[in-house]
Amino acid sequence: MQIDRESLENPFDYLTYYITESNVDKQGVQMKGGIRMMLYVLHFIGMVIIALFTAWISSQRYKKVNERERDLMYNMLDKAETMVVVWKDDLSFLNINGYMKAKLGYAAEENKKVFDEIFHINETNKQDRIREMLCSKKSTEKVIDCQNGDTKYVMWRSIIWSTDREGVRTILSIGFDITDRVKLSKELEIHSKKIKSNADTIQKLAFEDELTGLYNKRKFLIEGNAILEASEGNKQYALMYIDVDKFSFINSIYGEKVGNNVLKKVAAAINRLIPKDAICCRRGDDEFAVLFAIENEKDINLLYEKLVRHISSIKIKDNVDYRVEISAGAVVYPSQGDEINKLYQNVTFVMQDIKRKHTKTLALFDSELKERVLHQQVIAMELKEAIRNNEFILYYQPKIDVITEKLVGMEALVRWKHSKEAFMSPGQFIPIAEQTGLIIELGKWGLLEACIQNKRWQDRGAEKYIVSVNISATEFYQNNMLEIIKEALKVSGLDPCCLEIELTESMAIIDKEQTIAKMNEIRALGIKVALDDFGTGYSSLSYLKVLPIDILKLDRSFVSEIEKDNISKNITLTMIRLAELLNIETVAEGVETKEQAELLKKMGCHTIQGYYYSRPLPADIFEEVYLHIKK
């Protein structure tokens, strides 16, 4: 087949024509072989030149288009409201968009510095860092310090934008400002911690005693019920109440800080000494409770003895000899209460009975005790009404000089003319008055009444006898105690030398320094001070040397035995002789027989008081028998 040369349109067609029609041309012209080959080569070269030129034109056109696209992209990135860094992986090019510059406040010449601080890329680590940035599926959070001192939190993500013919990659790193989100997150975290802290605080307040760290009563009840319910009555438990004796005095004398420190030490001792499976709590100001498993009642005694040994070693203060003492009451589950509230109720009866008796011991619950305590509670309620209704009167017991056997004074003793039970024994209501705090009001009334009565007798012609009034520890350590005494003297008009204040020796060891100071204040008014019940409780002959007292009252427990017990006789004699050496008067209480009176007289006792001469008498009878006032 022959090709029409007139139809050839491009160089490639010409080349094809010459190759296929190599023997003759269209016009029949016979060509030689050498010329034909030359034409072929020239045609091929022309075709290559045309192809290269076409490619160059195409590349130039593409390059211009690419540059326009790049410039357009740069312009868009520069105006984007996010941080953008465009850079090459050979670190030869770097550009930071306008938004980032404005946010960070750095100049254009500081681009490299900012880049280094953000990405930490250098010639040594660039391959690893770039690979890490590009391969990571998670964004990277960076902290950037702005020029103005602010701190920005930025989340970065990097991608490859393009790769040139040399393999250099252009990388686009986009940063999102998450500062507000981070700040909000931190605020929420702080708020969450506060909520958790508040929740923990509420939990502590709800279930923990703030001072000691032990369970509070509410938590103790919850845990105690759970323990008892789990036992189903097949195991014995004891609920023990522990009371810190005379804590109110410790608190009032030494202050709340010292009192709290004592409670902390007691709580720590209890928590350390109780069995591992036991639970304990602080249930009141100076009361603690322990619930523990027992085999028998001996286990209760063993724990109490252990607590007494350790707690008695706790000193109130380094320079004070007085040490902490406790008393305790206990009930047994299930025989004396089948759930925690009943145990609570019954052990409360035990503690009330202990306080009434002023005993420092362990007491166990029994049904008679419950009835006795309930009766005491009735008395406490009636006592308030009796003070309000003025049902109390004073009786007076004479004090007799052992030599002359004449009246030298009298002791005022309160009696309750009970509406239902005639006269009630002081032994029944005085401890309850002290326990309830009613002793303060009752004592104030008794002091004033005694002063008024003595002054009334004197105004009617009686001699100036001294009336003695007992002051309880609760009254003595009141801040206004001295003012109460002054007020009684002022209202009654009684000469201070006609009043004697009797204090118990147990007061002295609570705070010897404060006791001495208060005694001196009383004596400075011209009032005599007597130390009552000496020889009982905390007796120490050394107190006689340091306490500013005028009179020493020998307790009836020694006086009643001096006829038949040589030990009591010798102790009484020793106290009388020591008092004489210290220029202190002695008064023997509870003298009931002539033999006792004669023996005390031989020992050198100055004054005696007791049934041998007279029982306490109402004011009118005392006046008639001893004062002989002319009507």
Side-chain angles (χ1 to χ4, degrees):
M1 176 181 175
Q2 292 186 340
I3 299 174
D4 185 1
R5 206 166 79 175
E6 296 296 330
S7 64
L8 300 179
E9 296 179 352
N10 55 59
F12 184 76
D13 292 338
Y14 278 101
L15 180 61
T16 303
Y17 170 78
Y18 281 113
I19 292 174
T20 56
E21 303 295 332
S22 58
N23 292 323
V24 292
D25 60 9
K26 195 79 173 172
Q27 297 173 351
V29 180
Q30 187 70 35
M31 302 183 69
K32 294 183 178 182
I35 295 173
R36 187 180 296 111
M37 180 58 67
M38 180 181 68
L39 291 173
Y40 172 76
V41 171
L42 289 173
H43 177 70
F44 181 75
I45 291 171
M47 289 299 296
V48 170
I49 291 170
I50 292 169
L52 290 173
F53 179 73
T54 303
W56 178 79
I57 291 174
S58 177
S59 68
Q60 289 299 312
R61 186 184 300 113
Y62 176 78
K63 184 176 181 182
K64 288 181 181 180
V65 170
N66 216 24
E67 286 177 351
R68 285 197 302 271
E69 290 179 351
R70 185 190 65 189
D71 291 342
L72 179 62
M73 181 62 72
Y74 280 175
N75 187 48
M76 290 174 61
L77 293 175
D78 194 56
K79 293 179 180 180
E81 292 190 359
T82 187
M83 298 183 187
V84 178
V85 180
V86 181
W87 52 287
K88 293 182 180 295
D89 63 2
D90 62 357
L91 307 182
S92 62
F93 172 80
L94 175 68
N95 186 50
I96 293 176
N97 74 336
Y99 179 83
M100 184 170 174
K101 292 174 185 177
K103 277 282 186 181
L104 304 184
Y106 288 99
E109 57 270 17
E110 295 180 290
N111 286 355
K112 184 67 168 64
K113 175 186 174 183
V114 176
F115 179 81
D116 291 342
E117 288 182 357
I118 296 173
F119 298 110
H120 305 289
I121 299 175
N122 53 49
E123 291 295 337
T124 305
N125 70 0
K126 68 179 182 180
Q127 295 301 327
D128 292 336
R129 286 288 295 123
I130 292 171
R131 186 184 307 109
E132 180 184 341
M133 292 169 63
L134 295 176
C135 295
S136 176
K137 295 181 179 181
K138 295 182 178 179
S139 300
T140 305
E141 183 181 322
K142 299 289 182 180
V143 181
I144 305 174
D145 294 324
C146 302
Q147 189 71 5
N148 63 359
D150 291 345
T151 299
K152 295 289 183 184
Y153 296 87
V154 183
M155 190 68 74
W156 291 95
R157 191 68 186 268
S158 299
I159 59 172
I160 299 173
W161 185 7
S162 64
T163 305
D164 63 17
R165 292 175 180 176
E166 287 75 28
V168 178
R169 294 171 294 183
T170 298
I171 298 173
L172 185 67
S173 293
I174 302 174
F176 298 95
D177 186 356
I178 59 169
T179 304
D180 292 340
R181 189 196 312 168
V182 171
K183 287 182 177 178
L184 179 60
S185 177
K186 288 185 176 182
E187 288 176 2
L188 289 173
E189 184 179 356
I190 293 171
H191 187 61
S192 176
K193 287 181 179 178
K194 285 182 178 178
I195 292 174
K196 186 178 183 303
S197 176
N198 289 338
D200 293 341
T201 302
I202 292 170
Q203 180 81 357
K204 283 188 175 183
L205 290 173
F207 297 119
E208 186 178 296
D209 177 61
E210 187 177 359
L211 178 65
T212 63
L214 301 179
Y215 286 163
N216 61 14
K217 183 178 178 180
R218 181 182 180 189
K219 179 67 171 176
F220 187 83
L221 286 171
I222 294 171
E223 295 295 326
N225 263 327
I227 291 171
L228 299 183
E229 286 176 5
S231 74
E232 296 181 343
N234 297 320
K235 190 174 182 180
Q236 284 195 111
Y237 285 88
L239 175 63
M240 179 187 288
Y241 269 12
I242 302 160
D243 181 74
V244 180
D245 295 325
K246 296 186 183 297
F247 180 74
S248 59
F249 297 129
I250 296 171
N251 228 17
S252 61
I253 295 168
Y254 298 106
E256 187 177 349
K257 185 176 180 181
V258 172
N260 286 345
N261 191 44
V262 168
L263 291 176
K264 287 179 184 178
K265 290 180 180 179
V266 172
I270 294 172
N271 200 35
R272 185 177 67 253
L273 297 171
I274 61 175
K276 289 183 178 180
D277 58 349
I279 60 171
C280 62
C281 78
R282 180 185 174 208
R283 66 171 300 275
D285 287 342
D286 59 348
E287 289 185 335
F288 300 86
V290 180
L291 182 68
F292 58 104
I294 60 169
E295 293 294 331
N296 51 55
E297 289 185 0
K298 288 182 180 179
D299 293 336
I300 302 174
N301 285 284
L302 289 173
L303 178 59
Y304 175 72
E305 289 168 3
K306 187 193 298 186
L307 291 171
V308 169
R309 282 197 305 272
H310 285 80
I311 292 174
S312 63
S313 66
I314 297 173
K315 295 180 69 174
I316 295 176
K317 289 177 71 177
D318 292 337
N319 59 343
V320 177
D321 293 334
Y322 183 71
R323 296 175 184 272
V324 178
E325 294 183 323
I326 61 170
S327 53
V331 292
V332 176
Y333 167 88
S335 60
Q336 295 171 343
D338 57 2
E339 54 94 18
I340 197 73
N341 281 316
K342 288 183 180 178
L343 294 175
Y344 250 129
Q345 183 182 28
N346 288 337
V347 79
T348 300
F349 290 138
V350 180
M351 295 307 296
Q352 289 176 354
D353 193 55
I354 289 173
K355 288 181 179 180
R356 184 186 66 84
K357 293 177 179 177
H358 294 282
T359 55
K360 301 172 184 65
T361 185
L362 170 68
L364 301 179
F365 176 81
D366 61 61
S367 56
E368 291 182 4
L369 180 147
K370 182 177 180 180
E371 294 300 321
R372 192 163 60 246
V373 170
L374 289 173
H375 179 63
Q376 292 165 12
Q377 290 176 350
V378 172
I379 292 174
M381 290 187 290
E382 292 177 344
L383 195 57
K384 293 180 182 179
E385 289 295 320
I387 293 173
R388 191 178 300 116
N389 298 332
N390 199 26
E391 294 179 8
F392 294 96
I393 59 174
L394 290 182
Y395 274 43
Y396 298 88
Q397 186 172 36
K399 294 180 180 180
I400 306 297
D401 185 293
V402 293
I403 303 297
T404 65
E405 293 191 348
K406 289 184 178 181
L407 181 73
V408 292
M410 54 276 184
E411 181 178 0
L413 300 165
V414 67
R415 294 292 184 265
W416 182 5
K417 193 175 182 180
H418 196 277
S419 57
K420 297 178 182 177
E421 301 183 22
F423 282 95
M424 183 176 288
S425 167
Q428 287 183 276
F429 69 85
I430 292 295
I432 296 173
E434 290 180 345
Q435 183 182 334
T436 58
L438 294 171
I439 193 67
I440 293 175
E441 192 174 351
L442 184 58
K444 186 177 179 180
W445 169 84
L447 175 63
L448 178 59
E449 182 65 22
C451 290
I452 290 173
Q453 182 61 68
N454 197 14
K455 176 61 175 170
R456 186 182 295 128
W457 282 329
Q458 291 175 13
D459 289 343
R460 293 176 54 214
E463 293 184 30
K464 284 193 171 185
Y465 294 116
I466 297 174
V467 63
S468 60
V469 179
N470 289 280
I471 299 291
S472 69
T474 305
E475 298 170 82
F476 184 73
Y477 288 112
Q478 288 182 101
N479 293 330
N480 64 339
M481 183 271 304
L482 199 64
E483 283 66 34
I484 291 173
I485 295 175
K486 289 179 180 179
E487 181 68 16
L489 292 172
K490 180 180 178 181
V491 171
S492 65
L494 184 68
D495 191 328
C497 69
C498 295
L499 176 63
E500 177 185 308
I501 298 296
E502 293 189 10
L503 308 170
T504 60
E505 60 164 323
S506 60
M507 295 182 193
I509 67 154
I510 296 175
D511 186 340
K512 189 160 58 179
E513 291 181 4
Q514 187 175 352
T515 301
I516 291 171
K518 283 182 173 287
M519 284 180 171
N520 281 326
E521 288 177 343
I522 294 172
R523 295 181 77 215
L525 297 175
I527 300 170
K528 288 190 174 185
V529 174
L531 192 62
D532 195 13
D533 299 332
F534 190 78
T536 62
Y538 308 95
S539 297
S540 174
L541 294 176
S542 63
Y543 291 144
L544 296 181
K545 184 177 69 174
V546 297
L547 294 177
I549 60 174
D550 303 287
I551 300 161
L552 178 66
K553 298 193 75 173
L554 307 176
D555 187 68
R556 66 183 66 246
S557 61
F558 293 105
V559 173
S560 62
E561 299 291 327
I562 59 174
E563 303 164 276
K564 47 193 174 183
D565 181 37
N566 282 332
I567 294 177
S568 296
K569 178 180 177 181
N570 290 332
I571 290 174
T572 303
L573 179 61
T574 300
M575 290 190 291
I576 291 172
R577 287 181 177 176
L578 181 58
E580 185 177 1
L581 290 173
L582 296 173
N583 199 28
I584 298 173
E585 295 179 33
T586 51
V587 176
E589 292 185 294
V591 179
E592 297 184 353
T593 66
K594 182 178 181 180
E595 290 75 16
Q596 291 171 353
E598 290 294 329
L599 193 52
L600 288 165
K601 181 178 179 180
K602 289 178 182 179
M603 290 180 180
C605 181
H606 301 96
T607 307
I608 59 176
Q609 177 184 347
Y611 283 11
Y612 173 62
Y613 282 103
S614 175
R615 294 173 177 269
L617 302 171
D620 56 342
I621 298 177
F622 182 85
E623 174 186 321
E624 181 180 343
V625 174
Y626 289 100
L627 300 182
H628 310 295
I629 298 174
K630 294 180 180 180
K631 297 184 180 179

